[in-house]
Amino acid sequence: MLGGVAGGLGDYFNVDPLLIRIAFVGLMIFGGAGLVLYVVGWLLIPADGENVSNIEGFFRRLGLTSQRLAWIALAFVVFIVVIAGAPVGGPLDGSGTVFIGPLPGVNQWTLWAVAIIVVGIVMLRRRESPAPAPPAPPATPAMTAEATIPAQPSTPAVTAVKAAPRPRSPLALYTYGAILLSIGLLALASQMADVSVSPGQFFGTALAVLGIGLVVGAWWGRARILILVAFLLAPMAIVASFITAPLAGGIGDHRYTPVTAAEVRDEYRSLGGRLILDLTDLKTGPRTIHISVSVAVGQLVVILPENATVELRTRVGAGDSVVLGSQDVGTSLDSSYVRHHFNPISYILDLEMGIGQVFVTDSRINW
């Protein structure tokens, strides 16, 4: 109705364009994703009877090819991600530091998702140009004269004919583009729709697209390299499937020792390393303190006050859980622990570990 995107997609997939229009409208509730995808489709999908899209035609007139645009887009996103939140010297606040924050309403993961989608679309849109045929040699007088001489009977000579090399199949390139496009859309949906997506789901999506590419290669195209990629990706997918903790926080060793109730956070997150939460110095009135702590890969240590009323729930994807002397080792560990004492302060702790160890103790020794 506006740019012909839904009508073109309906004609291509042989479905009613009204269904595609309804899908675009339905995606509007996810932060306006329907409008964004419609504009992207209008820019990147060629019109009927044309080989290049609107944006490609515009950039080609500027001398920019698809490959160059992909590198420029990646460089721009990397630049934004690097400077987002980075301190840059300046006199604006009197301290010699100017804080450059992230773009309003946009986080770094969203920028990376958009960059991956752009690269995937560029790879899917790439076409293999046929090699030009060599020009025929011009006719010479000698050749013309020889053509007028009647052929003499002779024994036919056997000559070796070299088979022409088969053209390269674009199936592997298309599969890589589909993988990047699928992962980028999944990451974008997780950011705009606030849906939790684990690393194992990203790897699972990549393996699923690889499998589809191998199945397609059984009838069309040649992409034996995808077998090697699948073998390399499968172990990483298995490891990533155990990382169920949120991918948030920094990397390294962090120790938190809150003293007052105002210093206690609701959440403590770490992407990798050791996180120590020491609650032994906490001084507050009678209350129930609820804290969620997670580490994606590494070690999580919680030091509790002696004789504290505690309600614990621990989840470990792969590794071990040691709670006040009780140890559990394995995968997909999910356990609960409750301890009651005559203490005005009670703790409700939700501890989550992807791959590593959860250690809960009431002694500061060695920590």
Side-chain angles (χ1 to χ4, degrees):
M1 302 294 290
L2 298 177
V5 176
L9 291 175
D11 183 65
Y12 183 81
F13 292 107
N14 195 24
V15 297
D16 190 348
L18 179 61
L19 300 177
I20 299 179
R21 293 189 179 103
I22 293 175
F24 278 121
V25 174
L27 289 173
M28 289 295 294
I29 64 176
F30 299 112
L35 179 61
V36 174
L37 293 177
Y38 191 91
V39 173
V40 170
W42 177 71
L43 292 174
L44 297 179
I45 299 176
D48 188 17
E50 298 184 6
N51 293 327
V52 296
S53 63
N54 295 329
I55 194 70
E56 283 181 303
F58 172 76
F59 283 113
R60 284 189 179 185
R61 288 192 291 271
L62 299 179
L64 297 175
T65 62
S66 300
Q67 289 75 16
R68 291 175 182 174
L69 286 174
W71 285 112
I72 292 174
L74 276 179
F76 175 76
V77 173
V78 170
F79 175 76
I80 293 296
V81 171
V82 169
I83 70 169
V88 180
L92 296 185
D93 62 352
S95 62
T97 300
V98 179
F99 182 78
I100 301 179
L103 298 178
V106 180
N107 56 32
Q108 299 178 5
W109 295 109
T110 302
L111 294 174
W112 278 113
V114 173
I116 293 174
I117 291 174
V118 171
V119 175
I121 292 176
V122 169
M123 296 179 71
L124 287 174
R125 290 280 300 134
R126 181 179 176 182
R127 292 180 175 86
E128 296 291 336
S129 57
T140 61
M143 294 175 59
T144 307
E146 291 177 1
T148 59
I149 300 176
Q152 301 294 329
S154 60
T155 303
V158 179
T159 58
V161 179
K162 184 178 181 180
R166 292 190 298 177
R168 294 180 58 186
S169 172
L171 179 58
L173 185 66
Y174 289 161
T175 304
Y176 299 148
I179 290 174
L180 292 178
L181 183 59
S182 302
I183 292 177
L185 289 175
L186 187 61
L188 190 62
S190 68
Q191 295 299 317
M192 301 187 69
D194 196 18
V195 178
S196 178
V197 181
S198 65
Q201 291 173 313
F202 285 107
F203 279 97
T205 300
L207 284 176
V209 176
L210 271 177
I212 294 174
L214 289 172
V215 172
V216 172
W219 289 276
W220 176 83
R222 302 177 307 279
R224 289 190 294 269
I225 188 63
L226 296 181
I227 300 175
L228 176 61
V229 176
F231 274 114
L232 295 176
L233 198 61
M236 293 187 288
I238 294 174
V239 173
S241 65
F242 295 112
I243 303 178
T244 56
L247 298 179
I251 298 177
D253 292 345
H254 304 277
R255 186 183 185 100
Y256 302 96
T257 310
V259 178
T260 63
E263 296 179 358
V264 179
R265 305 180 190 174
D266 295 333
E267 295 182 350
Y268 294 88
R269 307 293 184 190
S270 176
L271 191 61
R274 174 188 291 181
L275 189 152
I276 300 177
L277 178 60
D278 188 353
L279 301 174
T280 55
D281 292 335
L282 182 59
K283 307 297 182 184
T284 183
R287 67 176 60 205
T288 299
I289 298 176
H290 194 168
I291 305 175
S292 297
V293 191
S294 69
V295 177
V297 179
Q299 185 183 39
L300 170 58
V301 179
V302 177
I303 306 175
L304 298 171
E306 295 183 357
N307 302 323
T309 299
V310 181
E311 181 178 341
L312 293 171
R313 184 185 177 185
T314 62
R315 292 185 297 274
V316 179
D320 64 317
S321 174
V322 181
V323 178
L324 299 176
S326 177
Q327 185 175 16
D328 194 7
V329 181
T331 60
S332 300
L333 305 177
D334 193 342
S335 60
S336 300
Y337 180 87
V338 178
R339 186 181 71 178
H340 293 286
H341 279 283
F342 295 101
N343 195 316
I345 306 176
S346 61
Y347 299 89
I348 300 178
L349 303 178
D350 190 0
L351 311 179
E352 190 169 5
M353 169 64 65
I355 299 177
Q357 181 189 57
V358 173
F359 195 96
V360 181
T361 180
D362 54 5
S363 174
R364 271 185 169 180
I365 300 176
N366 299 327
W367 300 107

